[in-house]
Amino acid sequence: MKIVPYPHPALRSKSDVVKIIDQEIHALAAGMLELMYERDGLGLAAPQVASGQRLIVMNFAGDHDQKDKEYVAINPVIVEAKGTVEDREGCLSFPGLYAKVRRHKTVRVQAYNLKGELYEMTCAELAARVWQHEIDHLDGVLFIDKLGMLGRMATKKSIEEFQKDFKKSLDKGEYPPGTAPKL
Ligand code: ZN
């Protein structure tokens, strides 16, 4: 399992609802948590490891030792959103790229944990931002889609670099044949 960079096509696919929480889902969550901590991320969504399951992992402290801040969210949904706030955001599929993104300030979310129990929580600020960013991934939506005109201009060069690097990886055969980026 590895984190795929933009513009890998998995990042633009809409993920499927998880119907059974089996060993495969447990292994997916465990592998994703490991990668997230390895790369110092606060969240990771299944499309980022080229999986098509509606599953995200998060740790709002970004700290392996703070297990109380760690969440596995299966089939997550935002049931209520309030306010807006703009802040700097990055993504493990765009290493080194940061941009200001407008998000809801507070969200109430629902998801299933690995035991199949439904939980609900209300989050604000950074945690709310992480939930929104990761849930977007499950619908093939990326943070670069949310930028205003200035943000798009400021990130244009970096995004073109990601596209060039990905094409090089494809040419080198680092991805299965038929992997074509959807830009
Ligand atoms: Zn991301």
Side-chain angles (χ1 to χ4, degrees):
M1 191 188 289
K2 66 170 184 176
I3 297 178
V4 296
Y6 174 82
H8 190 288
L11 295 170
R12 287 303 189 188
S13 328
K14 205 169 150 54
S15 297
D16 299 321
V17 169
V18 175
K19 296 205 178 80
I20 308 162
I21 300 169
D22 54 12
Q23 270 317 305
E24 213 175 294
I25 291 294
H26 279 261
L28 176 65
M32 284 169 59
L33 281 167
E34 205 178 307
L35 282 175
M36 179 185 81
Y37 289 123
E38 214 173 84
R39 298 271 298 270
D40 291 322
L42 300 181
L44 189 66
Q48 294 182 277
V49 295
S51 157
Q53 308 276 6
R54 293 190 83 81
L55 185 150
I56 62 183
V57 297
M58 293 160 288
N59 183 314
F60 305 125
D63 180 356
H64 197 275
D65 295 327
Q66 294 191 42
K67 289 284 177 205
D68 59 322
K69 301 267 171 39
E70 181 183 290
Y71 291 90
V72 172
I74 299 165
N75 302 336
V77 286
I78 294 170
V79 289
E80 198 182 359
K82 279 184 194 162
T84 56
V85 61
E86 197 180 53
D87 208 347
R88 231 162 83 96
E89 203 169 302
C91 177
L92 292 178
S93 294
F94 296 78
L97 182 66
Y98 298 91
K100 279 196 168 180
V101 181
R102 190 170 287 279
R103 299 272 184 196
H104 290 294
K105 194 171 183 179
T106 313
V107 290
R108 189 155 60 88
V109 291
Q110 278 181 353
Y112 290 89
N113 64 18
L114 282 171
K115 291 179 194 155
E117 300 158 345
L118 185 68
Y119 64 95
E120 183 178 295
M121 60 193 286
T122 300
C123 297
E125 304 293 345
L126 181 62
R129 180 168 294 273
V130 176
W131 275 98
Q132 292 170 83
H133 177 113
E134 302 309 334
I135 289 176
D136 268 354
H137 270 300
L138 303 180
D139 294 316
V141 175
L142 302 170
F143 82 124
I144 56 165
D145 304 339
K146 307 250 165 189
L147 303 180
M149 198 176 70
L150 286 177
R152 280 177 203 267
M153 278 164 66
T155 53
K156 192 169 177 278
K157 268 228 155 64
S158 314
I159 287 168
E160 284 168 3
E161 284 302 315
F162 283 116
Q163 292 167 348
K164 270 188 226 157
D165 289 347
F166 188 71
K167 189 171 179 304
K168 273 186 214 154
S169 305
L170 283 181
D171 292 345
K172 277 192 258 170
E174 287 173 17
Y175 294 97
T179 307
K182 286 179 197 148
L183 301 174

